[in-house]
Amino acid sequence: KPNVDTLKKLVTKKAATIIKDNRIIEFTTNYTAGRYELYYMKHFLVHINSDKAIEQFNTIALPQHDVEEIVSIKARTISPSGKIANLDRNVDFKKIDNYENSGPFVIFAMPQVEIGSYIEYLYTFRKSFSAGGTEYYRSTHPVLEAEVAFYCSE
């Protein structure tokens, strides 16, 4: 269970405060298949301080470009009192072939979001291997922790 009191000390009075936006990109060798693979993991946690932030963060859209497998998706809303509402991956997630003319996405709506809530999601995708690429961090909200890590196995 998250320590809501500790999180409250970290947030600002802005519309939303991104507590964590961490990403891991891991390159591995699949010896059985005889190929390289890329695993993309993201852990995101945001505090909601306004109705505008509820509108912005209530629906999560995860791009599926080059995704070969959804390894895991976990998402939850933490109420101001600390009550947790988890999403059920088998029920609450929808695959869209062309979301807003931007290609394939998985989308889901976060439950029971209110001012003072925290929205948290964590996912891992196995993607087509690419030796190049770009990872962008951009936000109009304050970000307390942002990190990207690259790993490569032998």
Side-chain angles (χ1 to χ4, degrees):
K1 185 173 181 173
N3 186 331
V4 175
D5 292 330
T6 300
L7 291 174
K8 284 180 183 177
K9 292 176 186 175
L10 297 174
V11 300
T12 67
K13 298 298 180 191
K14 302 289 185 180
T17 301
I18 297 170
I19 307 292
K20 180 180 292 198
D21 185 355
N22 292 342
R23 304 159 196 200
I24 296 173
I25 300 167
E26 181 177 1
F27 299 95
T28 65
T29 304
N30 182 332
Y31 292 103
T32 305
R35 65 183 186 138
Y36 296 112
E37 294 180 334
L38 184 150
Y39 285 87
Y40 183 89
M41 294 155 265
K42 182 173 181 176
H43 185 188
F44 187 85
L45 174 64
V46 62
H47 181 258
I48 304 299
N49 291 324
S50 70
D51 288 328
K52 183 177 179 181
I54 291 173
E55 288 179 33
Q56 181 180 357
F57 292 102
N58 188 50
T59 300
I60 309 299
L62 306 177
Q64 297 295 289
H65 305 286
D66 300 322
V67 172
E68 295 179 350
E69 177 188 7
I70 298 171
V71 178
S72 69
I73 301 176
K74 296 179 182 179
R76 65 184 181 171
T77 302
I78 305 165
S79 75
S81 66
K83 183 180 175 190
I84 297 173
N86 291 305
L87 264 69
D88 181 346
R89 177 179 172 189
N90 298 320
V91 176
D92 299 321
F93 297 83
K94 296 178 185 172
K95 288 186 179 181
I96 306 294
D97 290 331
N98 193 11
Y99 182 67
E100 297 181 355
N101 293 320
S102 296
F105 277 76
V106 168
I107 62 168
F108 50 94
M110 299 302 295
Q112 305 172 20
V113 178
E114 59 184 287
I115 293 174
S117 294
Y118 296 86
I119 292 174
E120 181 175 36
Y121 59 89
L122 173 67
Y123 65 87
T124 303
F125 297 152
R126 183 171 54 81
K127 300 178 84 172
S128 301
F129 176 78
S130 173
T134 305
E135 190 66 23
Y136 292 100
Y137 274 96
R138 56 184 159 210
S139 177
T140 57
H141 303 287
V143 178
L144 300 180
E145 177 182 316
E147 178 176 87
V148 63
F150 294 92
Y151 297 99
C152 184
S153 63
E154 293 184 30

Coordinates of all heavy atoms in Angstrom, one line a residue, residues 24 38-44 60 62-64 67-76 87-90 93 95 106 108 120-127:
I24 N 12.6 2.1 -18.8 CA 13.7 1.2 -19.0 C 13.6 0.6 -20.3 O 12.5 0.1 -20.7 CB 13.7 0.1 -17.9 CG1 13.9 0.6 -16.5 CG2 14.8 -1.0 -18.2 CD1 13.7 -0.4 -15.4
L38 N 13.7 -6.2 -27.9 CA 13.7 -5.0 -27.1 C 12.5 -5.0 -26.1 O 11.4 -5.3 -26.6 CB 13.6 -3.8 -28.0 CG 13.7 -2.4 -27.4 CD1 14.3 -1.4 -28.4 CD2 12.3 -1.9 -27.0
Y39 N 12.7 -4.8 -24.9 CA 11.7 -4.7 -23.9 C 11.6 -3.2 -23.4 O 12.6 -2.6 -23.1 CB 11.9 -5.6 -22.7 CG 11.6 -7.0 -23.0 CD1 12.6 -7.8 -23.6 CD2 10.4 -7.6 -22.8 CE1 12.4 -9.1 -23.9 CE2 10.1 -8.9 -23.1 CZ 11.1 -9.7 -23.6 OH 10.9 -11.0 -24.0
Y40 N 10.4 -2.6 -23.5 CA 10.2 -1.3 -23.1 C 9.3 -1.2 -21.9 O 8.2 -1.8 -21.9 CB 9.5 -0.5 -24.2 CG 9.3 1.0 -23.9 CD1 10.3 1.9 -24.2 CD2 8.2 1.4 -23.3 CE1 10.2 3.2 -23.9 CE2 8.0 2.8 -23.0 CZ 9.0 3.7 -23.3 OH 8.8 5.0 -23.0
M41 N 9.8 -0.7 -20.8 CA 9.0 -0.6 -19.5 C 8.9 0.8 -19.1 O 9.8 1.6 -19.2 CB 9.7 -1.4 -18.4 CG 9.8 -2.9 -18.7 SD 11.2 -3.7 -17.9 CE 12.4 -3.7 -19.2
K42 N 7.7 1.2 -18.6 CA 7.4 2.5 -18.1 C 6.6 2.4 -16.8 O 5.7 1.7 -16.7 CB 6.6 3.3 -19.1 CG 6.3 4.8 -18.7 CD 5.7 5.6 -19.8 CE 5.5 7.0 -19.3 NZ 4.9 7.8 -20.4
H43 N 7.0 3.3 -15.8 CA 6.3 3.4 -14.6 C 6.0 4.9 -14.4 O 6.9 5.8 -14.4 CB 7.2 3.0 -13.4 CG 6.6 3.0 -12.1 ND1 7.3 2.8 -10.9 CD2 5.3 3.2 -11.7 CE1 6.4 2.8 -9.9 NE2 5.2 3.1 -10.4
F44 N 4.7 5.2 -14.3 CA 4.2 6.6 -14.3 C 3.3 6.8 -13.1 O 2.4 6.0 -12.9 CB 3.5 6.9 -15.6 CG 3.1 8.3 -15.8 CD1 4.0 9.2 -16.3 CD2 1.8 8.7 -15.4 CE1 3.6 10.6 -16.5 CE2 1.5 10.1 -15.6 CZ 2.4 11.0 -16.1
I60 N -5.9 6.8 -20.5 CA -4.5 6.5 -20.8 C -4.4 5.9 -22.1 O -5.2 4.9 -22.4 CB -3.8 5.6 -19.7 CG1 -4.1 6.2 -18.3 CG2 -2.3 5.4 -20.0 CD1 -3.5 7.5 -18.0
L62 N -1.7 4.1 -24.7 CA -0.3 3.6 -24.8 C -0.1 3.2 -26.3 O -0.8 2.3 -26.8 CB -0.1 2.3 -23.9 CG -0.5 2.5 -22.5 CD1 -0.3 1.2 -21.7 CD2 0.3 3.6 -21.8
P63 N 0.9 3.8 -26.9 CA 1.2 3.5 -28.3 C 1.7 2.1 -28.5 O 2.4 1.5 -27.7 CB 2.2 4.5 -28.7 CG 2.8 5.0 -27.5 CD 1.8 4.8 -26.4
Q64 N 1.2 1.5 -29.6 CA 1.5 0.1 -29.9 C 2.4 -0.1 -31.1 O 2.5 -1.2 -31.7 CB 0.3 -0.8 -30.1 CG -0.6 -0.8 -28.8 CD 0.1 -1.5 -27.7 OE1 0.3 -2.7 -27.8 NE2 0.6 -0.8 -26.7
V67 N 5.0 -3.0 -31.3 CA 4.8 -3.9 -30.2 C 4.4 -5.2 -30.7 O 3.5 -5.4 -31.4 CB 3.7 -3.3 -29.2 CG1 3.4 -4.3 -28.2 CG2 4.2 -2.0 -28.6
E68 N 5.2 -6.2 -30.3 CA 4.9 -7.6 -30.6 C 4.1 -8.3 -29.6 O 3.4 -9.2 -29.9 CB 6.2 -8.4 -30.9 CG 7.0 -7.8 -32.1 CD 8.3 -8.6 -32.4 OE1 8.7 -9.4 -31.5 OE2 8.9 -8.3 -33.4
E69 N 4.3 -7.9 -28.3 CA 3.6 -8.5 -27.2 C 3.5 -7.6 -26.1 O 4.4 -6.8 -25.7 CB 4.4 -9.8 -26.7 CG 3.8 -10.4 -25.5 CD 4.7 -11.5 -24.9 OE1 5.9 -11.7 -25.3 OE2 4.2 -12.2 -24.0
I70 N 2.3 -7.5 -25.5 CA 2.0 -6.8 -24.2 C 2.4 -7.8 -23.1 O 1.7 -8.7 -22.9 CB 0.6 -6.3 -24.1 CG1 0.2 -5.4 -25.3 CG2 0.3 -5.7 -22.8 CD1 -1.2 -5.0 -25.4
V71 N 3.5 -7.6 -22.5 CA 4.0 -8.5 -21.4 C 3.1 -8.3 -20.2 O 2.7 -9.2 -19.6 CB 5.5 -8.3 -21.1 CG1 5.9 -9.2 -20.0 CG2 6.3 -8.5 -22.4
S72 N 2.9 -7.0 -19.8 CA 2.1 -6.7 -18.6 C 1.7 -5.2 -18.7 O 2.4 -4.4 -19.2 CB 2.9 -7.0 -17.3 OG 3.9 -6.0 -17.2
I73 N 0.5 -5.0 -18.1 CA 0.0 -3.7 -17.9 C -0.7 -3.7 -16.5 O -1.6 -4.5 -16.3 CB -1.1 -3.2 -18.9 CG1 -0.5 -3.2 -20.3 CG2 -1.6 -1.8 -18.6 CD1 -1.5 -2.8 -21.4
K74 N -0.3 -2.8 -15.6 CA -1.0 -2.7 -14.3 C -1.3 -1.2 -14.2 O -0.5 -0.3 -14.5 CB 0.0 -3.1 -13.2 CG 0.3 -4.6 -13.3 CD 1.2 -5.0 -12.1 CE 1.6 -6.4 -12.2 NZ 2.5 -6.8 -11.2
A75 N -2.5 -0.9 -13.7 CA -2.9 0.5 -13.5 C -3.8 0.6 -12.3 O -4.6 -0.4 -12.0 CB -3.6 1.0 -14.7
R76 N -3.7 1.7 -11.6 CA -4.6 1.9 -10.4 C -4.7 3.3 -10.1 O -3.9 4.2 -10.5 CB -4.0 1.2 -9.2 CG -2.7 1.7 -8.7 CD -2.1 0.9 -7.6 NE -0.9 1.5 -7.1 CZ -0.3 1.1 -6.0 NH1 -0.8 0.1 -5.3 NH2 0.8 1.6 -5.6
L87 N -7.2 -1.7 -12.1 CA -7.9 -2.0 -13.3 C -7.7 -3.5 -13.6 O -6.6 -4.1 -13.2 CB -7.2 -1.2 -14.5 CG -8.0 0.0 -14.9 CD1 -7.9 1.1 -13.8 CD2 -7.5 0.5 -16.2
D88 N -8.7 -4.1 -14.2 CA -8.6 -5.5 -14.7 C -8.2 -5.5 -16.1 O -8.9 -5.1 -17.0 CB -9.9 -6.2 -14.5 CG -9.9 -7.6 -14.9 OD1 -9.0 -8.1 -15.5 OD2 -10.9 -8.3 -14.5
R89 N -7.0 -6.0 -16.4 CA -6.5 -6.0 -17.8 C -7.4 -6.7 -18.8 O -7.5 -6.3 -19.9 CB -5.1 -6.6 -17.9 CG -4.5 -6.7 -19.3 CD -3.2 -7.3 -19.3 NE -2.8 -7.5 -20.7 CZ -1.7 -8.2 -21.0 NH1 -0.9 -8.6 -20.1 NH2 -1.4 -8.3 -22.3
N90 N -8.1 -7.7 -18.3 CA -8.9 -8.5 -19.2 C -10.3 -7.8 -19.5 O -10.9 -8.2 -20.5 CB -9.2 -9.9 -18.6 CG -7.9 -10.7 -18.5 OD1 -7.0 -10.6 -19.4 ND2 -7.8 -11.4 -17.4
F93 N -9.2 -2.8 -20.7 CA -8.3 -2.3 -21.7 C -8.9 -2.6 -23.1 O -9.4 -3.7 -23.3 CB -7.0 -3.0 -21.6 CG -6.2 -2.7 -20.3 CD1 -6.6 -3.4 -19.1 CD2 -5.3 -1.8 -20.2 CE1 -5.9 -3.2 -17.9 CE2 -4.6 -1.5 -19.0 CZ -5.0 -2.2 -17.9
K95 N -8.0 -2.4 -27.3 CA -7.0 -2.2 -28.4 C -7.8 -1.5 -29.5 O -8.8 -1.9 -30.0 CB -6.5 -3.6 -28.9 CG -5.6 -4.2 -28.0 CD -5.0 -5.5 -28.6 CE -4.0 -6.2 -27.6 NZ -3.4 -7.4 -28.2
V106 N -3.4 0.9 -27.1 CA -4.2 0.3 -26.1 C -4.7 1.5 -25.2 O -3.9 2.3 -24.8 CB -3.4 -0.7 -25.2 CG1 -4.1 -1.1 -24.0 CG2 -3.0 -1.9 -26.0
F108 N -7.3 2.9 -21.9 CA -8.1 2.5 -20.7 C -8.4 3.8 -19.9 O -7.7 4.7 -20.0 CB -7.4 1.5 -19.9 CG -6.0 1.8 -19.5 CD1 -5.7 2.4 -18.3 CD2 -4.9 1.4 -20.3 CE1 -4.4 2.7 -17.9 CE2 -3.6 1.6 -19.9 CZ -3.3 2.3 -18.8
E120 N -1.6 5.8 -11.2 CA -0.3 5.1 -11.4 C -0.5 4.0 -12.4 O -1.5 3.2 -12.4 CB 0.2 4.5 -10.1 CG 1.5 3.8 -10.2 CD 2.0 3.3 -8.8 OE1 1.1 2.9 -8.0 OE2 3.2 3.3 -8.6
Y121 N 0.5 3.8 -13.3 CA 0.5 2.7 -14.2 C 1.9 2.3 -14.5 O 2.8 3.0 -14.4 CB -0.3 2.9 -15.5 CG 0.1 4.1 -16.4 CD1 1.0 3.9 -17.4 CD2 -0.5 5.4 -16.2 CE1 1.4 5.0 -18.2 CE2 -0.1 6.4 -17.0 CZ 0.8 6.2 -18.0 OH 1.2 7.3 -18.8
L122 N 2.0 1.0 -14.8 CA 3.3 0.3 -15.1 C 3.0 -0.7 -16.2 O 2.1 -1.5 -16.1 CB 3.8 -0.4 -13.8 CG 5.0 -1.2 -13.9 CD1 6.2 -0.4 -14.2 CD2 5.2 -2.0 -12.6
Y123 N 3.8 -0.6 -17.2 CA 3.7 -1.6 -18.3 C 5.0 -2.0 -18.9 O 6.0 -1.3 -18.8 CB 2.7 -1.0 -19.4 CG 3.2 0.2 -20.2 CD1 4.1 0.0 -21.3 CD2 2.9 1.5 -19.8 CE1 4.5 1.1 -22.0 CE2 3.3 2.6 -20.5 CZ 4.1 2.4 -21.6 OH 4.5 3.5 -22.4
T124 N 5.0 -3.2 -19.5 CA 6.1 -3.7 -20.2 C 5.6 -4.2 -21.6 O 4.7 -5.0 -21.6 CB 6.8 -4.9 -19.4 OG1 7.1 -4.4 -18.2 CG2 8.0 -5.4 -20.2
F125 N 6.3 -3.8 -22.6 CA 6.0 -4.3 -24.0 C 7.3 -5.0 -24.6 O 8.4 -4.5 -24.3 CB 5.6 -3.2 -24.9 CG 4.4 -2.4 -24.6 CD1 4.2 -1.1 -24.9 CD2 3.3 -3.0 -23.9 CE1 3.1 -0.4 -24.6 CE2 2.2 -2.3 -23.6 CZ 2.1 -1.0 -24.0
R126 N 7.1 -6.0 -25.3 CA 8.2 -6.6 -26.1 C 8.0 -6.0 -27.5 O 6.9 -6.1 -28.1 CB 8.1 -8.1 -26.2 CG 9.3 -8.7 -26.9 CD 9.5 -10.2 -26.8 NE 8.3 -10.9 -27.2 CZ 7.9 -11.2 -28.4 NH1 8.6 -10.8 -29.4 NH2 6.8 -11.9 -28.6
K127 N 9.0 -5.3 -28.0 CA 8.9 -4.6 -29.3 C 9.9 -5.2 -30.3 O 10.8 -5.9 -30.0 CB 9.2 -3.1 -29.1 CG 8.2 -2.5 -28.1 CD 8.6 -1.0 -27.9 CE 8.0 -0.2 -28.9 NZ 8.1 1.2 -28.7

